[in-house]
Amino acid sequence: MSESDSKFHILFKIWCFILGLALLATGIFYIVGGGKLVSLGGSWYFLISGLFITISAISIFRKKALGVWIFAAVFVGTVIWSLIDAGWEFWPLFSRLMFPAGLFAALLFTLPSIRRYQFQTSLASSAYAVGGLVVVGMLIALYQMFQPHPTVASSGEKLPLVPVDPSKKQVNWENYGNDAGGSRFVALDQINRDNVHKLKEAWRFRTGDFTTGSGNGAEDQMTPLQVGNKVFLCTPHNNIFAIDADSGKQIWKAEVNSKADAWERCRGVAYFDSTKPLLQPTLAGATPVNTVASNTACPRRVYTNTPDGRLIAVNADNGQRCADFGVNGTVDLLEGLGGGTKAPRFEVTSAPTIAGTTIVVGSRIADNVAADMPGGVIRGYDVITGKLRWAFDPRNPDPNYVLKPGETYKRSSANSWAAMSYDPQMNTVFLPMGSSSVDIWGGNRNPLDHKYNTSVLALDATTGKEKWVYQTV
């Protein structure tokens, strides 16, 4: 045997061992998970295919071509089962076929070497051709991941267009999701499915703000607010603009210039008008909404929270900082968090939520970075003074514990980074909760993590007390 043949045999044996391990791990995973699925009354596919994949793995360890043929039968069976189980829908087929296709391609490209090792005809042309087709199919599937795939096909007759009651027509878009509950529904009928294609651009406004970070999450994701004839928007550096809704002309600009090494974005702002009548909850037993002063120099306010940990209030009439809010218009959101808060480890990227007269603020804690991270405490502040009204610390046995000087909130707790919603009739704020650090690794989770991770949490907007929590995973 030549030196080159000897090296080939060594590399070939190593590759068969690696490929066999991948098949064995897949087979065991399918057997264990499939067995659990069968016990719950689910499909037998994973259990059966796992058994055959395990047999295939043993054959590959032994460098036998039989392992390829067994897996080929499994793959054909998987294609048939997938079509029966999911039809021709892209995403269900993608999730069922992509991984097995990768293993099948690897086995096909290995088949000629196995057959040569066994002193058999290599079948290289056929194996490489079929393997190439599988790879091409995978590349097409990867491309299709980034193409739109409608989940619900339209069927039946169109429903009639229903005119909006003139007394209920939409006037403003004052919250991130339109109303406090985040319905995103606009009660207007001037634009409908029959004439939407006729819309034309009326004006264009350029903020002049460009992201300066590494590109990791640096982008414009803003949803503007509209109150009267003003449109309020923010830039990736949290600079706030008020523009004329009819002309698109700038009315004022409030410079904030937040700084973050990554994840530069401002998803939206919040608005509060202290001159409007205060809505009190109508549900029996609900906690009243705290009253606030209306004789402030900033009767109408726009709020932004920044990736670098600030909550800022500006006058909606002229863009000047509201001096009576926090310290000269700014509240420090890093207070009480301890170390390691530099963005992107701790950031606030979603719009603050106005819940009665309380501004509720969550945070984004970077995923899968470290076991020791800032906590995901949720806090409620007075809309006028910026004073902390309450905090909800998901890892503290007393989640509403008031910190003493020098103390910090519990580290690495579940956080709420996304948009929240508020029900004024119940005076309840609803929060979508994320995971505690380190997210996909659960070795350091405690009972409170298991309670609040990946849940929907309902809090009293006035007190921050828990009303209920429903875990979704």
Side-chain angles (χ1 to χ4, degrees), residues 385-398:
T385 66
K387 182 180 179 181
L388 180 66
R389 283 182 171 170
W390 52 261
F392 188 91
D393 188 348
R395 252 191 181 176
N396 195 320
D398 177 6

Side-chain angles (χ1 to χ4, degrees), residues 70 97 99 118 124 150 177 206 212 239 246 297 299 354 367 442:
I70 292 174
L97 295 177
F99 179 71
Q118 297 294 333
R206 299 186 184 277
T212 57
N239 297 323
D246 292 326
I354 303 296
D367 296 339

Side-chain angles (χ1 to χ4, degrees), residues 434 447-457 468-473:
L448 289 174
D449 295 331
H450 289 295
K451 178 180 180 180
Y452 293 114
N453 282 7
T454 59
S455 68
V456 177
L457 175 63
W468 53 259
V469 60
Y470 175 79
Q471 192 167 62
T472 59
V473 177

Side-chain angles (χ1 to χ4, degrees), residues 353-424:
T353 299
I354 303 296
T357 59
T358 301
I359 312 173
V360 184
V361 178
S363 61
R364 171 191 177 267
I365 308 299
D367 296 339
N368 308 311
V369 173
D372 181 34
M373 294 288 284
V377 60
I378 299 109
R379 289 167 287 186
Y381 298 89
D382 185 293
V383 290
I384 300 299
T385 66
K387 182 180 179 181
L388 180 66
R389 283 182 171 170
W390 52 261
F392 188 91
D393 188 348
R395 252 191 181 176
N396 195 320
D398 177 6
N400 299 117
Y401 175 77
V402 179
L403 296 182
K404 296 181 177 63
E407 292 182 330
T408 61
Y409 297 108
K410 299 296 183 182
R411 305 280 292 178
S412 305
S413 58
N415 62 303
S416 181
W417 61 266
M420 308 169 191
S421 62
Y422 172 67
D423 187 335

Side-chain angles (χ1 to χ4, degrees), residues 136-424:
V136 169
M138 293 176 66
L139 292 174
I140 293 173
L142 287 172
Y143 171 77
Q144 287 297 318
M145 287 176 62
F146 302 96
Q147 305 305 311
H149 297 279
T151 56
V152 179
S154 60
S155 61
E157 297 181 1
K158 290 183 178 180
L159 294 175
L161 296 174
V162 180
V164 174
D165 183 340
S167 65
K168 298 180 180 179
K169 279 196 173 183
Q170 181 90 33
V171 177
N172 296 324
W173 185 291
E174 296 186 16
N175 300 275
Y176 178 80
N178 185 22
D179 54 22
S183 71
R184 298 178 180 269
F185 173 74
V186 180
L188 294 173
D189 55 14
Q190 184 181 15
I191 302 171
N192 56 53
R193 64 175 179 242
D194 295 332
N195 62 21
V196 66
H197 67 282
K198 298 179 181 179
L199 286 178
K200 295 181 179 179
E201 182 179 304
W203 51 260
R204 182 177 300 188
F205 181 80
R206 299 186 184 277
T207 66
D209 192 359
F210 296 91
T211 58
T212 57
S214 63
N216 179 17
E219 55 195 51
D220 188 348
Q221 292 189 347
M222 175 270 308
T223 296
L225 303 185
Q226 171 264 318
V227 182
N229 201 43
K230 289 190 181 77
V231 174
F232 300 105
L233 56 88
C234 58
T235 72
H237 291 100
N238 291 89
N239 297 323
I240 307 172
F241 287 87
I243 59 179
D244 185 278
D246 292 326
S247 66
K249 300 295 184 182
Q250 177 178 318
I251 299 173
W252 53 255
K253 175 185 178 182
E255 292 202 11
V256 174
N257 295 318
S258 63
K259 299 182 183 300
D261 292 334
W263 219 256
E264 293 175 336
R265 63 188 59 194
C266 174
R267 291 194 172 101
V269 295
Y271 177 83
F272 181 77
D273 186 348
S274 64
T275 66
K276 293 175 63 175
L278 186 62
L279 294 177
Q280 290 292 347
T282 57
L283 187 70
T287 306
V289 174
N290 291 331
T291 58
V292 292
S294 60
N295 59 345
T296 170
C298 283
R300 288 163 293 277
R301 302 173 178 222
V302 177
Y303 304 87
T304 184
N305 38 216
T306 68
D308 56 11
R310 293 176 286 163
L311 175 61
I312 296 170
V314 302
N315 192 321
D317 296 333
N318 55 30
Q320 299 298 311
R321 296 286 178 97
C322 296
D324 57 352
F325 183 82
V327 179
N328 295 321
T330 302
V331 169
D332 182 8
L333 297 178
L334 303 183
E335 185 176 348
L337 295 182
T341 56
K342 183 180 179 181
R345 292 172 72 94
F346 170 89
E347 292 184 297
V348 188
T349 57
S350 294
T353 299
I354 303 296
T357 59
T358 301
I359 312 173
V360 184
V361 178
S363 61
R364 171 191 177 267
I365 308 299
D367 296 339
N368 308 311
V369 173
D372 181 34
M373 294 288 284
V377 60
I378 299 109
R379 289 167 287 186
Y381 298 89
D382 185 293
V383 290
I384 300 299
T385 66
K387 182 180 179 181
L388 180 66
R389 283 182 171 170
W390 52 261
F392 188 91
D393 188 348
R395 252 191 181 176
N396 195 320
D398 177 6
N400 299 117
Y401 175 77
V402 179
L403 296 182
K404 296 181 177 63
E407 292 182 330
T408 61
Y409 297 108
K410 299 296 183 182
R411 305 280 292 178
S412 305
S413 58
N415 62 303
S416 181
W417 61 266
M420 308 169 191
S421 62
Y422 172 67
D423 187 335

